[in-house]
Amino acid sequence: MIYRETGQFKASYAADQAIFRLVEDRIGMGAILFLAFVVMPLVGSQYWLETIMLPFLIYSLAAIGLNLLTGYAGQLSLGTGGFMACGAFSAYKLATAFPDLHVLLVLVLAGSITAAVGILFGLPSLRIKGFYLAVATLAAQFFLLWLFNRVPWFTNYSSSGVISAPPLAIFGDIWVTGFEATPVAKYLFTLSLVSILALAAKNMTRLKIGRAWMAIRDMDIAAEIIGIRPMTTKLSAFAISSFYCGIAGALWAFVYTGAVEALAFEINVSFRVLFMIIIGGLGTICGSFMGAAFIVLLPIFLNNTLLALGLAEAVALASHLEAMIMGALIIFFLIVEPHGLARLWQILKEKLRRWPFPY
Amino acid sequence: MTTAATDLRLDSRQAATGRRQRRIGGVLLAVENVSLRFGGVQALSGVSFDVRQGEIRAIIGPNGAGKSSMLNVINGFYQPQEGSFVWKGERLARMRPHLAATLGIARTFQNIALFKGMTTLDNIMTGRILKMRASFLEQALWWGRARREELAHRAFVERIIDFLEIQHIRHTPVGKLPYGLQKRVELARALAMEPELLLLDEPMAGMNLEEKEDMCRFILDVNEEFGTTVVLIEHDMGVVMDISDRVVVLDYGKLLADGTPDEVRNDPRVIEAYLGLVHD
Ligand SMILES: Nc1ncnc2c1ncn2[C@@H]1O[C@H](COP(=O)(O)OP(=O)(O)OP(=O)(O)O)[C@@H](O)[C@H]1O
Ligand SMILES: [Mg+2]
């Protein structure tokens, strides 16, 4: 009975396995990409491009990284900031030691170094889980930052502690880091990189490696008996997650702030990224973007609304409100909807459409 | 389809017993002198038995007799203090889960062990993971082997889905499925490994009569059509007597009896230790 009608469904399996199975989703995605790649660079002010879109995109990348590890592979990490710092400092060392290295190579190598560091700090995950693992990754966070602060080699023996990222060009004289880089160049460069990496992450999560991660997350005993090796699976999650976080850290230092400093990657960054994936949705790539958008935009939105209302002391009030709203939302999502905004969006879509086929 | 299924159900037992006799081959797996202790608890003591190619082998015994422990030893999840295995004539000092999987030993669990956050389809596709060869980069790029493999495995998995009649729940997260269907998905995931030896830990526990009949039919069909060797633990004596070729009886971790259903049924020690309990 199992052997029948081979091949007949091939075309439809390919369609069934497309990332966006529905026409509406494909149109929606096309529209978002058009807005992001064409409309935004044309109409976006410098404020929008540099102060809103850059941190949003870079945080999204870090959130994808953490989501691969925590949302998909089920390994809780509080070391995101440390891994981002590792990426930033690796990129700095590479770019200063080899000034001719292309910016893409700098980023990929920085990500790879961070991946190796991630594997190292992922080793405890082979023995411990959950809360204890979180504490172990917290140790990574503190150790890495301590290292970059204390060992002058990492800052090329600079006396000030704040060092500026060297200028790098994507082609010819189109600079994407340093003083000569235009907001549009920086934005488009970051956007392209984040889009490609997000697509790669999506592909991984729906293929072998992603299934192995989720299997280990959901039921490690059964996973092992199917032939999944817990060690390589967990360490691969640490490696790839750290690769993403490393590139995010390098982009943050080189493209967004232009300064390489450990201070930018303190523990609160780790928590921010964790909150992003909780609010956006554990185990979804698109949720990582939603969470990042929410957390980057919330303070800006609050500030502007309060200012528009003419409230004095708006800044202090906004930050209080921000903390309260975030706290409430995190509790809400943890208890009610662990799949976060991404899931709420999906439910909304399901209600909105009348699709004749259930699958 | 419906009539075919009904026909199958009606004559599967006779057909199975009729055809299976001829297919049973040499010893596929021999378990020799296995002893397993947990602290002070002696879960298994000196148990030996063999499983022949193509047969349905039942393991029965009262609660806590060590049946599940035996399966855990066979697929390398528990390491026994003593004992060894012979797999297709080759002696193995120890078994490891990964080795068992590569040898072609698949398994379902007494307490369903599905990947709850994944859909039925993804659960079953995960069962084919050892057969996937695509490199990490090919996967990230959805390119080359990654793409070809995914479609080929999908086609194979669809045949299992058709076979077990779970088409309608393909894209449902398994955590949301009722118990009987979860058991079926777990069987599907094990079948996706194309196992030579299928270990089933109480595949029919907690099912209603109809679900039990379906499950019996699936087990018999798998055994007949693919020659898959089956070792199953089951408490329902009717089922055991009907579908198994030979039965191992465990009691307090010891081998109490080993033989055909008829031999075992008439063994006085078995009646005393096990069947006696049932009639209490
Ligand atoms: N991981 C473990 N740690 C400690 N003791 C265990 C473990 N697994 C099994 N045991 C013990 O080994 C003995 C045999 O258990 P096992 O689960 O193999 O029995 P069983 O025959 O499958 O029973 P049931 O019919 O209830 O499923 C029991 O006394 C049990 O408590
Ligand atoms: Mg048991």
Side-chain angles (χ1 to χ4, degrees), chain A residues 1-3 6 13 16-17 200 203-204 206-209 211 215 218-219 222 225-227 229 240 359, chain B residues 1 98 113 115-117 122 126 132 136 139-140 142 150-151 154-155 158-159 170-171 189 225-226:
Chain A
M1 251 178 112
I2 278 193
Y3 295 108
T6 328
Y13 294 153
D16 197 32
Q17 271 156 347
N203 282 339
M204 281 185 268
R206 64 208 184 108
L207 290 173
K208 178 173 91 172
I209 192 165
R211 293 199 186 103
D218 283 349
M219 187 62 74
I225 274 160
I226 283 175
R229 292 179 188 274
I240 292 168
Y359 45 79
Chain B
M1 186 64 215
H98 190 264
F115 308 127
K116 281 209 285 300
D122 274 329
T126 309
M132 297 188 177
F136 152 72
Q139 294 177 62
W142 180 248
E150 183 73 6
L151 294 177
R154 174 71 192 270
E158 284 297 331
R159 293 201 292 274
R170 240 190 228 106
H171 292 296
R189 187 181 65 188
E225 294 194 22
F226 314 116

Side-chain angles (χ1 to χ4, degrees), chain B residues 104-107 190-198 222 226-229:
Chain B
I105 303 178
R107 134 126 217 227
L191 289 179
M193 293 172 71
E194 291 180 77
E196 286 207 52
L197 177 60
L198 183 58
V222 168
F226 314 116
T228 308
T229 312

Side-chain angles (χ1 to χ4, degrees), chain B residues 62-69 71-72 107 110-111 201-202 233 235:
Chain B
N63 291 101
K67 305 181 295 294
S68 298
S69 302
L71 293 198
N72 281 328
R107 134 126 217 227
Q110 185 169 357
N111 311 309
D201 198 342
E202 307 202 11
I233 297 174
H235 280 293

Side-chain angles (χ1 to χ4, degrees), chain A residues 130-141:
Chain A
F131 174 72
Y132 297 96
L133 180 62
V135 173
T137 56
L138 203 55
Q141 165 78 36

